[in-house]
Amino acid sequence: MKIHYLVTSLKTGGAEFAIADIVKTLQSLGHDVSVIACEPRDMGAAIRLSEAGLSYALLSHRRRLLPVILASYLKQISKNRPDVIWTSLSWGNRVGQWAGRLTGIPVISFKHSTSVHRYTYRMRSMSKLWIGDSQTVVQFLRNKMHIPADQVMTWPLFQSNPAALQAQKWDGRSVLQLGSIGRLHEIKKYSGLLDAVSFFLLSHPEMKSRIHLTILGDGPERAALEKKVRQLNLESVVTLRGLSANVGQFLSGLHAYIQTSRYEGMSLAVHEAMNAGLPVISTPAREIRDAVQEGRTGYVLHGDMKPAFNRIMEHIFAQPDEFCLCGQQAQSYILQKFSHEQYQLAATKIIDKLCTRLNTGASPLSKLPA
């Protein structure tokens, strides 16, 4: 089967970083997969594609209106018509769904979060099958987007890697290295994290030489965050490193991973950190609630981030042995729940169901409410 994997962009992000594993898995099942992005953005995901030996095509070199992007994609289809258009992220879904309607090519769409644009909801019947990247998203597709259960499947975007670089255990005396990976965007709540770090240090000034936070990523909030670091006098405590291709090396140099997102679907960064043996400090954002278990695999930032972060830091410095054990238990959780075999099986089930629908000529979603 020939598949176009159509994604909104190749920016730094969890869904974009998952493209390489998704495509390689589909190829291993015997399918011809082409990666097509509507626009480039920061191209952070392109590095991972290149490392995996995968090529890609761009429909535009900058953000364009829907008719322009759609026309560009229709030209791609005229040259290389796929059997299936597999879409990912809102704009990729929208372009692919319109292309599918105009050409008669069936569309299968990924959903990566529990938020939805109005146009995504209105156009939901234009996809033959919907894939949630976590059980939380699957429930959202069924209960909030009103897609019948037999037209929704799950494919968690993460697969564990037993050979991944491992983080060094914290000895309780050296500088506690905290880190986060993400786009510098308000949904990641990095501004609130900086406030929380400052609040902790105001209460415990002796700890200013005992912790360091490094954030890996770039985005529209970079200038504002750099300004805030200066305003809070955190230059010696916080580093905004920018983009980097070597995520594994970065994680191996940490003692704990922090995720402060307003919302998440399947957070690849959290799961990669746990795979590296890191305890996680996180807001209770959707699927992360299952992974980050208080006092077992990490610590949860409930409510106001400032007192929550303060409480967790005090606990970590008072209980370093428990903290290190959380890292070991986090890795065990990941290796057991997200094995390569389970990842491959999820993909196989989706392809089997898709092939069945294509062969039977089924017309799913026809009974959805308007």
Side-chain angles (χ1 to χ4, degrees), residues 17 20 24 44-56 244-248:
F17 280 0
K24 296 289 279 189
I47 299 171
R48 292 201 174 193
L49 291 175
S50 297
E51 289 175 344
L54 298 172
S55 59
Y56 56 86
S244 173
N246 203 334
V247 172

Side-chain angles (χ1 to χ4, degrees), residues 290-337:
D290 292 334
V292 183
Q293 301 159 21
E294 185 72 35
R296 185 172 181 273
T297 61
Y299 304 92
V300 182
L301 292 161
H302 288 294
D304 188 330
M305 197 186 304
K306 289 191 285 189
F309 182 81
N310 190 74
R311 171 187 62 82
I312 291 170
M313 287 296 102
E314 289 176 344
H315 184 80
I316 288 172
F317 278 97
Q319 301 287 339
D321 291 340
E322 177 193 278
F323 177 69
C324 291
L325 182 60
C326 281
Q328 296 173 25
Q329 292 174 158
Q331 185 186 45
S332 297
Y333 170 87
I334 290 297
L335 294 178
Q336 290 171 13
K337 188 169 182 177

Side-chain angles (χ1 to χ4, degrees), residues 116 121 139-147:
V116 61
Y121 183 81
Q139 292 169 8
F140 179 82
L141 287 166
R142 293 174 180 174
N143 301 332
K144 300 298 183 181
M145 289 184 64
H146 307 296
I147 299 173

Side-chain angles (χ1 to χ4, degrees), residues 17-29:
F17 280 0
I19 296 172
D21 278 351
I22 291 169
V23 171
K24 296 289 279 189
T25 299
L26 295 174
Q27 288 177 339
S28 74
L29 295 174

Side-chain angles (χ1 to χ4, degrees), residues 118-137:
R118 288 182 181 178
Y119 62 76
T120 304
Y121 183 81
R122 290 196 304 267
M123 296 168 63
R124 65 199 185 282
S125 62
M126 293 166 68
S127 293
K128 191 172 279 286
L129 194 64
W130 282 88
I131 312 299
D133 70 3
S134 64
Q135 282 301 324
T136 299
V137 173

